[in-house]
Amino acid sequence: MTNLPAQKSLPQNIESWEDFIAYYQKLSELSANVSWHKADTLLALSQKFGYESLEKFAQQIDEPRSTVVSYVRVARAFPPEKREDVVPFSTHLTASYIDSYDEKTKDFASEQRFDLLEKAADNQLSNRAVQQEVQKEKIARQERGELVIECDLCHTNTAPIFPYTFGSSFRNRKTDRFNLHDICYDSIIKNLGGKSGS
């Protein structure tokens, strides 16, 4: 096993403003490469030991299962030859959600993610902008009757449904994701004693 050297201080040649910018950009590149290596490693692990092994692996490395599964998803969605160097790893993951994924067949239902990623690269779209594109497409599919998603609270699909993420740093609780109508989300927040966003 190769050990990565620990960087305890800045290199001595980092002095000017431009030096700091260049050094930080290099660190960002390295960070993105590490994310892709983790994703490819977890994909290989799931292929060798089975998808169910990810739960045990996540526990042993003390990571939320959702994080490990997301790494596998993005590695499956974008093989090395389909990745865009100018687009962050996190945006690749977000773009992957424009295509439905079948856990049984381990296949994506379409290939819209590649077009969306190319659009993100060409137009320098932020992760948030890509997320909005994904949501617009999912709502359009719901309205056309192509995508049927039930609200996790009321179990109907009578209005557009959006993904909501709930998490807590308390005791390292994992993140939970729910598909909810806006009104159902507001109801949950109200019952928790908070204020709704609408």
Side-chain angles (χ1 to χ4, degrees), residues 4-196:
L4 295 173
Q7 182 73 43
K8 296 189 177 179
S9 62
L10 287 173
Q12 292 180 351
N13 61 342
I14 306 290
E15 295 179 0
S16 71
W17 180 266
E18 289 75 18
D19 291 340
F20 276 95
I21 290 174
Y23 185 63
Y24 192 86
Q25 287 174 333
K26 186 64 177 171
L27 290 175
S28 295
E29 289 174 21
L30 291 171
S31 176
N33 285 334
V34 168
S35 293
W36 280 116
H37 282 296
K38 287 166 103 174
D40 291 335
T41 298
L42 289 167
L43 175 59
L45 174 116
S46 71
Q47 290 169 337
K48 184 174 179 71
F49 296 103
Y51 191 76
E52 301 75 24
S53 67
L54 295 175
E55 179 88 39
K56 180 180 177 182
F57 192 80
Q59 290 173 354
Q60 292 192 343
I61 63 170
D62 198 28
E63 287 270 20
R65 181 185 180 278
S66 59
T67 299
V68 171
V69 168
S70 292
Y71 274 121
V72 173
R73 179 189 176 94
V74 75
R76 276 200 183 114
F78 297 104
E81 69 276 8
K82 294 288 191 176
R83 297 170 188 171
E84 291 280 358
D85 291 339
V86 296
V87 177
F89 177 86
S90 58
T91 305
H92 281 76
L93 176 61
T94 300
S96 77
Y97 284 102
I98 202 165
D99 293 325
S100 298
Y101 182 74
D102 189 323
E103 290 290 352
K104 291 180 182 175
T105 65
K106 303 294 185 265
D107 287 323
F108 286 90
S110 59
E111 296 190 343
Q112 285 183 277
R113 63 193 182 280
F114 301 123
D115 293 334
L116 181 54
L117 190 67
E118 187 177 341
K119 182 178 178 180
D122 291 346
N123 298 292
Q124 299 178 337
L125 297 181
S126 67
N127 190 48
R128 185 178 179 86
V130 170
Q131 192 171 40
Q132 289 170 345
E133 291 285 326
V134 170
Q135 279 311 110
K136 277 195 289 186
E137 176 59 23
K138 289 196 171 184
I139 290 168
R141 281 190 211 153
Q142 285 182 60
E143 290 172 348
R144 293 193 302 265
E146 297 171 11
L147 182 65
V148 178
I149 300 174
E150 285 189 352
C151 174
D152 289 321
L153 185 66
C154 70
H155 303 291
T156 69
N157 63 343
T158 53
I161 296 168
F162 303 93
Y164 288 93
T165 303
F166 296 85
S168 171
S169 57
F170 180 65
R171 294 193 304 178
N172 295 321
R173 177 167 169 71
K174 70 177 184 178
T175 298
D176 293 312
R177 295 179 182 175
F178 299 94
N179 292 313
L180 301 166
H181 296 110
D182 280 339
I183 194 168
C184 292
Y185 167 79
D186 289 346
S187 173
I188 289 171
I189 296 302
K190 184 178 179 182
N191 287 332
L192 292 173
K195 293 182 179 177
S196 70

